[in-house]
Each structure stands twice: as C-alpha cells, then as structure tokens.
Amino acid sequence: MLGNAVVVIGQACAQHAQTSCASLARGAAITEGDTVQTGADGYVYITTVDHGFISVRPDSSFTFERYEYDPADPQKTVIKLSLHKGVVREISGTGAQAARDHYRMNTPVAALGVRGTDFTVFTDANMTRADVRSGGIVMTPLGASCAETGTGPCEGPSAAQLFAGQRNAVLQVYRGSARPVVVDSALPGLMPERTTAALQSEENSARTATTQPPVNPGVAPAELNFPLTAPVAPPPAPAPVPVAPPPAPAPAPVQPPESQQIFWGRFTPLASAQADTTLAALLQQGSDQVGLFAPFAMTRTPQTDMVMPAYGIFTFGLQASSAYVMNATTGAATQAQISNPFLSIDFGAGTFQTKLNLSANGTSYGISAQGRVGPDGTLHSDYGWPATIQGALAGKNATQAGYLFLQALDGKNTAVGATLWSRQ
C-alpha cells in the first residue's frame, strides 16, 4: 500500500493491472500499479505513505507506476507517476523531497521532476501545462533524449524549470516542441486551476495530510477529519417580495466576422490547375506581396490598424491549403494532401513554430520550421530548418495567418505549398 483515498466525491474508480475499474470509497487503499480515474464530477484526495498529498480532479486518469518508500532511508525512494489526461495537484512527500533524482511524473508529451514542490498539472494528448505554488519543477519533452521508460527527471538543453517566485507563470510544452516555454498565466484559460477548479475543501485537506506526525505505513483515513462531500449550502434566504422585472436590454449589435486579409494563388499553370489572376488584381489595388515560391504567391491587404498581442502563446488552426510535390528530373507536379497541421506563435518572444505532414505518391513527408515574427507581422523561418517559410499575420488583433513553404524532400523531389490559418 502506498496511500489511501481519504476523500472521494462523485464518480471515481481505481483499476489495477487488467482488472475492471472498481468504484472508490473513502479509506480505500491505493497500491502500486493502480490507475485512479474520475468522471465529470469526480474528485479524489490521496494521502501517501511519505506524507504527500495528491488531488485527482474531474475527467482525469492517473497511474501510480512505482512508489517505493523506506521511512528509515527516504533517500532511496523511487516514485514514478503517469498523468494520462486531466488535472492533478501534488504536494511532494518526504520521499519525493529526499530523492528528487528518483522522482518522475510522465504525461503523454513530457516528463516532470520536482524541487520540493506543490504544483498542478494539466495534460491532454498534445499539450502539458503546469503551475507551481511552492518549490519548483523541471519539465522536458518526451523523445530521444528523454525516454518515457526512464526514471527521475530529464536534464539537458531541452529541459526548462519553473519556480514559485515567477509570478503569473505556467510552464507549457506541445507535442513535438524542442523545449517547454514559460507563459504568462494572466491570459484566460491558461492556469491548470481554471481547467478544473479545486473544491473548497482541498486546501484544508492538503494541509492536514502533509502536517500529520510520522506514521508507518502512512496516514490512516480515520486520522484525517476531511469533509466527505461538498460544503453544505446555507439555508435558503426568505423569498423576496416580487418586483416588476426591468425592461429587457436591447440586444447587443452582432459584429460581422472579420474579412479575409491574406490571399494566395498560382501565378502560373500547374498540372491541371490554371493560373490565378486574382493576385495580380490585388497587387494593383495596393496589397503587399509577402511570399513567392513558384508557382505560389501570397499577398496581404495593408495592415494599418493591426495590433499584435504583447505576450502570450497562441495556436492557429488550418483553414485552407494547397500543396504539390515537384519532381526536378521529370518536371511532374503531384498534388499532395496535408494532415496534422500545427502553427504556434509566441508573441512575447516574437517567434513561431509550425509543422505538418504531406502525403503524395503513397509517401508521407514531414514539413517543419521555426522562425521569427517581424514587428510588421511578417513570418520568416530561421536558417537550418527543413522548410523555408514566407508569410504574414493579419487582422486587427493578428487573428489570421498565412504562409508559403518550400522544402527539399530528397535528391529529386521538392514540396511547395500555401496555407491559411485562423487563431483558435
């Protein structure tokens, strides 16, 4: 046994090995290998044998892969946890604090280590985000230099740290990113706490659990005086005297959607596609050319009132695209299909990263690049990345993006394409 479920609210169960997920009740033992799962209304508070505290929030799945703790020699502790999805808050126990080099929490995209910590983590299949109340954490993308099967934190150039003294900050990493980044948590929806909030009872429960006197094999449920349900609502107030309702306010005017301000086209015929004369007309009307990779060109209407965000990392969703694989030997052009598109812009750092998959002739290729965002909203890839990018941002608040890409695929084939994106 590594701990106890001291509070269980809503739908929650624990699964061990290949068994079915059995409903959890207060006082249930949690053992190595258990996966705790919560429903849309589920909360589980767990105290561990080394006097740590874990809160598993709604719609979450969390596995205790290893939890080896010797109270006589805490430095030999080995802890490995996995948050598959959802939100978990953890306060490190004496074992995790004494053996930081043998502590690991995996998510689908990252590995986390602790520095004597109270922290909260949110994850889904493609992104992990964490904030810190006390102490610090280290986060590293899973990959060749940080294997999922490892134990302990991953260090090195791809790791990033976050400490409680960094005000209004969360540490965030996307699948495929080279390194986590620190993001301003003042932006809406970035804090893991805002994804699934804590119950009012969580702070008191955590404080009680982590300040208990040493007990072996751990804190027993009977020793903790936690509420078993959500706080009881106060008695209803007296019925108010009916008052005539005020007149309904006039409906707010509906703002029309922002018009498209980035355009691409083919200025020469290609395969079975005719040349596009639209771009020439736009350029004559005063639009700016922001990209040119034959046969594609891209233009942007003048951005006299665009104001880009001063900080924050935003993702963009692909709205339209066209791509070809060009054979330099035969001159043939084969239309390609784009899948798994990704574009992220860090406005504070003035950088972007993008990637997508390209399929043609039964072969799949990876297109990827990172680069700079100019003060005028133009996009240019950095030297050394596989793809060369030319593009721009547009819209009053930089909510539109577009770029052309060019990438050599092998000795005879080259990929060229155009993409349009909108901020999510």
Side-chain angles (χ1 to χ4, degrees):
M1 185 182 76
L2 62 87
N4 296 102
V6 293
V7 169
V8 179
I9 296 174
Q11 295 181 333
C13 64
Q15 183 177 10
H16 189 83
Q18 301 300 317
T19 62
S20 59
C21 202
S23 295
L24 272 177
R26 182 190 182 193
I30 305 298
T31 61
E32 197 172 63
D34 281 355
T35 296
V36 175
Q37 301 181 43
T38 54
D41 61 346
Y43 288 82
V44 178
Y45 297 169
I46 298 167
T47 59
T48 60
V49 291
D50 61 335
H51 306 290
F53 173 83
I54 294 173
S55 170
V56 185
R57 305 260 180 89
D59 284 323
S60 300
S61 177
F62 186 72
T63 298
F64 295 86
E65 295 189 20
R66 293 182 67 182
Y67 214 103
E68 302 169 6
Y69 171 66
D70 181 359
D73 193 356
Q75 294 183 348
K76 293 183 178 179
T77 298
V78 178
I79 297 174
K80 187 172 183 182
L81 312 169
S82 290
L83 176 59
H84 310 289
K85 67 169 186 173
V87 176
V88 159
R89 176 186 175 187
E90 179 180 347
I91 301 177
S92 302
T94 55
Q97 295 181 38
R100 300 172 187 175
D101 291 341
H102 300 116
Y103 173 96
R104 164 83 74 92
M105 181 189 291
N106 278 340
T107 74
V109 298
L112 284 83
V114 297
R115 301 290 185 260
T117 308
D118 179 354
F119 66 107
T120 305
V121 184
F122 162 79
T123 196
D124 57 22
N126 296 304
M127 185 269 291
T128 296
R129 183 182 293 140
D131 71 303
V132 180
R133 286 182 175 82
S134 67
I137 59 173
V138 57
M139 181 187 291
T140 311
L142 292 176
S145 62
C146 184
E148 182 180 3
T149 55
T151 58
C154 294
E155 307 286 356
S158 59
Q161 298 184 90
L162 178 67
F163 292 91
Q166 296 173 252
R167 183 177 176 84
N168 293 330
V170 297
L171 196 56
Q172 175 176 281
V173 65
Y174 284 92
R175 180 180 294 277
S177 297
R179 189 173 187 267
V181 295
V182 178
V183 182
D184 191 326
S185 64
L187 296 172
L190 287 186
M191 288 289 286
E193 294 288 349
R194 298 175 190 167
T195 308
T196 53
L199 293 176
Q200 294 180 2
S201 60
E202 185 174 284
E203 283 301 325
N204 288 336
S205 299
R207 191 176 303 111
T208 303
T210 55
T211 57
Q212 291 291 312
V215 177
N216 189 19
V219 178
E223 298 170 326
L224 298 174
N225 187 21
F226 292 169
L228 295 183
T229 60
V232 178
V241 178
V243 177
V254 178
Q255 297 295 327
E258 196 170 33
S259 61
Q260 181 180 341
Q261 299 175 44
I262 300 176
F263 303 88
W264 60 266
R266 293 174 297 271
F267 61 87
T268 60
L270 182 67
S272 60
Q274 300 298 315
D276 190 341
T277 60
T278 306
L279 292 182
L282 289 171
L283 290 171
Q284 290 178 357
Q285 295 169 12
S287 290
D288 302 319
Q289 181 172 300
V290 296
L292 178 63
F293 289 143
F296 292 105
M298 180 167 284
T299 66
R300 177 180 67 170
T301 58
Q303 299 296 300
T304 56
D305 60 348
M306 181 175 71
V307 178
M308 294 192 296
Y311 56 85
I313 299 176
F314 296 87
T315 56
F316 288 68
L318 186 65
Q319 302 299 307
S321 62
S322 180
Y324 291 86
V325 171
M326 316 286 289
N327 189 299
T329 303
T330 64
T334 304
Q335 191 165 14
Q337 302 299 317
I338 288 178
S339 61
N340 300 321
F342 172 80
L343 172 62
S344 174
I345 295 181
D346 184 338
F347 285 98
T351 59
F352 73 89
Q353 56 178 309
T354 188
K355 60 181 180 177
L356 51 87
N357 293 334
L358 202 68
S359 299
N361 299 320
T363 304
S364 181
Y365 308 95
I367 309 295
S368 63
Q370 293 187 13
R372 294 163 285 107
V373 180
D376 57 351
T378 53
L379 308 178
H380 295 283
S381 55
D382 292 334
Y383 177 77
W385 284 89
T388 302
I389 300 292
Q390 294 179 358
L393 300 170
K396 186 175 181 179
N397 297 302
T399 55
Q400 301 178 31
Y403 68 73
L404 305 181
F405 65 86
L406 181 69
Q407 179 173 319
L409 303 177
D410 49 41
K412 59 182 179 179
N413 291 310
T414 300
V416 61
T419 60
L420 289 179
W421 310 71
S422 65
R423 200 166 79 191
Q424 296 180 325

